[in-house]
Amino acid sequence: MARHSTAFGSFTGSVSSYPTNSPNNFSLTYSSIKLPSSVSLPRLNFKVKAFSGDGVSETKESSLVVCFGEMLIDFVPTINGLALAEAPAFKKAPGGAPANVAVGIARLGGSSAFIGKVGEDEFGYMLADILKENNVNSDGMRFDPSARTALAFVTLRSDGEREFMFYRNPSADMLLQEAELDFDLIRKAKIFHYGSISLITEPCKSAHIAAAKAAKDAGVVLSYDPNLRLPLWPSAEKAREGILSIWETADIIKISKEEISFLTKGEDPNNDEVVRKLFHPNLKLLLVTEGPDGCRYYTKDFNGKVQGLKVDAVDTTGAGDAFVAGTLSQLAVNLSLLEKEDQLRDALRFANACGALTVMERGAIPALPTREAVLNAIFKSVS
């Protein structure tokens, strides 16, 4: 089928470029690609996504992922390996874990929305525009006239790993109130995704709990990425307590090895028995990300590991969010993946590639890949 070679051959843009408002979100298969018999490529089945005349996507309720929480500006140094005070310049990059996931899903051809609060300032307006440019539903976004959009300065070590300095005392995202929530949008979701930063202070904590309850009561699948940022919490103990306070309501949880060590007070994150301690009775899927080594997955019935793609890391900011976007974009279309190990492994192979491509550029949202870029990377890795 000629369309396969066209889909791979026509992608010439960088992984940081924004997608065009084009309705060519068709399903892709690999039936015409000859690969070694030992290689398995993901069986992806993205639904067609329609666009209105103004270029804003029309939400597909059956596969909508609503992401709740913070959206902010990351300032990333142009040179790795320097302390913040030594960095000669910074690149301004939109970010915030839940917003990253929302944009990541839209870039991959899925349907997403963002609920959160930014300042009624130039950065807030810029972030709102970025959501619209990326076809993310922003009906649930609010603007606060009395608080600024959050900022984060990110120190990059020579290996691309990060340290954070936050400016949010308070920032607008911390001031979202329950009365400002778009409950209709929440109830339309197939998946409701969130982190733990929105649990740190009131009134956002109460808004978070109310939003998650509304989603749960409507039969929406709850997806949780704790996204531990210790400097934002009053103490390590408060962080552990806050993260675990909503643990057993989630259907899907994604954590890193570092977060396993933190939550289990130093136990070995590589030990399956340790990980299983975090698996609660109602959990459908627990994912453990391992950076360039890929990920591990745990369900009630099976568990395993999926290898990642090896790339040269420039900035790891947003890699975990890209992985989550890659996973949720497929689960939103087909939740039965949670019960079919072979298909889940294919989905996670795709998600690993999403994360790998993201570390090759500076910043989170600017680096999130398109579906074409991900499929191209997977094809190259096995050909």
Side-chain angles (χ1 to χ4, degrees):
M1 296 171 64
R3 64 173 179 168
H4 296 303
S5 59
T6 302
F8 289 119
S10 64
F11 182 77
T12 57
S14 72
V15 296
S16 63
S17 59
Y18 289 109
T20 57
N21 294 327
S22 156
N24 61 345
N25 294 312
F26 44 81
S27 298
L28 290 174
T29 60
Y30 294 89
S31 58
S32 68
I33 300 175
K34 294 182 179 179
L35 298 170
S37 58
S38 61
V39 171
S40 173
L41 280 172
R43 295 178 287 272
L44 304 174
N45 184 30
F46 290 100
K47 290 186 177 180
V48 174
K49 183 179 179 184
F51 293 88
S52 58
D54 61 2
V56 179
S57 63
E58 296 170 0
T59 298
K60 296 293 187 183
E61 293 182 11
S62 62
S63 61
L64 174 65
V65 180
V66 173
C67 301
F68 174 94
E70 69 278 1
M71 189 172 193
L72 48 83
I73 305 290
D74 289 324
F75 285 90
V76 184
T78 55
I79 298 177
N80 289 9
L82 297 177
L84 282 177
E86 298 171 346
F90 294 86
K91 176 183 176 180
K92 178 181 63 181
N100 294 343
V101 174
V103 173
I105 289 169
R107 289 262 179 94
L108 295 169
S111 176
S112 65
F114 174 75
I115 292 178
K117 202 172 195 182
V118 294
E120 198 171 281
D121 52 37
E122 288 300 313
F123 283 147
Y125 296 136
M126 184 193 88
L127 293 175
D129 287 342
I130 285 169
L131 292 181
K132 292 176 183 177
E133 289 168 8
N134 284 277
N135 301 306
V136 175
N137 182 317
S138 59
D139 291 348
M141 195 172 192
R142 302 291 179 258
F143 296 83
D144 196 308
S146 61
R148 298 294 191 189
T149 300
L151 307 179
F153 286 81
V154 186
T155 302
L156 297 177
R157 301 202 305 253
S158 56
D159 61 358
E161 287 298 327
R162 310 144 299 154
E163 295 175 355
F164 294 87
M165 180 184 290
F166 294 94
Y167 286 78
R168 56 194 303 268
N169 190 35
S171 54
D173 61 289
M174 301 163 70
L175 302 177
L176 181 68
Q177 300 180 47
E178 181 178 344
E180 297 176 298
L181 294 174
D182 187 335
F183 285 105
D184 288 339
L185 182 61
I186 292 169
R187 295 186 184 102
K188 288 177 182 177
K190 183 75 163 288
I191 299 173
F192 183 71
H193 176 73
Y194 49 85
S196 69
I197 290 175
S198 48
L199 294 171
I200 298 174
T201 57
E202 294 288 3
C204 189
K205 178 180 178 180
S206 292
H208 175 132
I209 292 170
K213 183 180 186 304
K216 193 77 168 179
D217 289 348
V220 179
V221 173
L222 300 189
S223 167
Y224 183 26
D225 176 3
N227 193 35
L228 176 65
R229 295 289 180 264
L230 267 180
L232 295 179
W233 291 87
S235 67
E237 193 52 45
K238 287 289 186 183
R240 189 177 294 109
E241 178 184 319
I243 288 171
L244 292 176
S245 69
I246 61 169
W247 195 261
E248 296 197 0
T249 63
D251 300 295
I252 300 166
I253 297 175
K254 172 261 170 190
I255 47 176
S256 66
K257 291 201 297 184
E258 293 76 16
E259 287 163 344
I260 294 173
S261 295
F262 176 76
L263 293 175
T264 60
K265 298 184 178 181
E267 294 191 52
D268 182 6
N270 297 306
N271 187 324
D272 284 344
E273 292 183 7
V274 171
V275 178
R276 282 287 182 184
K277 291 179 182 180
L278 296 171
F279 198 98
H280 66 75
N282 297 317
L283 192 60
K284 296 179 175 64
L285 177 64
L286 177 63
L287 296 169
V288 179
T289 51
E290 300 183 315
D293 294 326
C295 68
R296 282 176 281 157
Y297 59 90
Y298 301 81
T299 73
K300 291 178 181 178
D301 301 318
F302 52 77
N303 65 276
K305 179 179 176 67
V306 178
Q307 293 295 328
L309 290 182
K310 303 297 183 182
V311 298
D312 294 326
V314 173
D315 176 13
T316 57
T317 304
D321 302 326
F323 171 87
V324 172
T327 303
L328 297 186
S329 65
Q330 296 173 82
L331 287 175
V333 174
N334 184 10
L335 281 174
S336 69
L337 294 175
L338 295 170
E339 301 166 356
K340 301 174 181 178
E341 186 170 10
D342 287 347
Q343 292 183 33
L344 178 62
R345 289 181 61 85
D346 287 338
L348 295 178
R349 190 171 294 111
F350 179 86
N352 282 341
C354 292
L357 289 180
T358 301
V359 308
M360 298 173 69
E361 294 282 334
R362 294 183 191 276
I365 286 178
L368 293 169
T370 61
R371 184 189 62 234
E372 288 82 2
V374 177
L375 296 178
N376 194 39
I378 294 172
F379 177 70
K380 286 182 178 178
S381 72
V382 297
S383 62

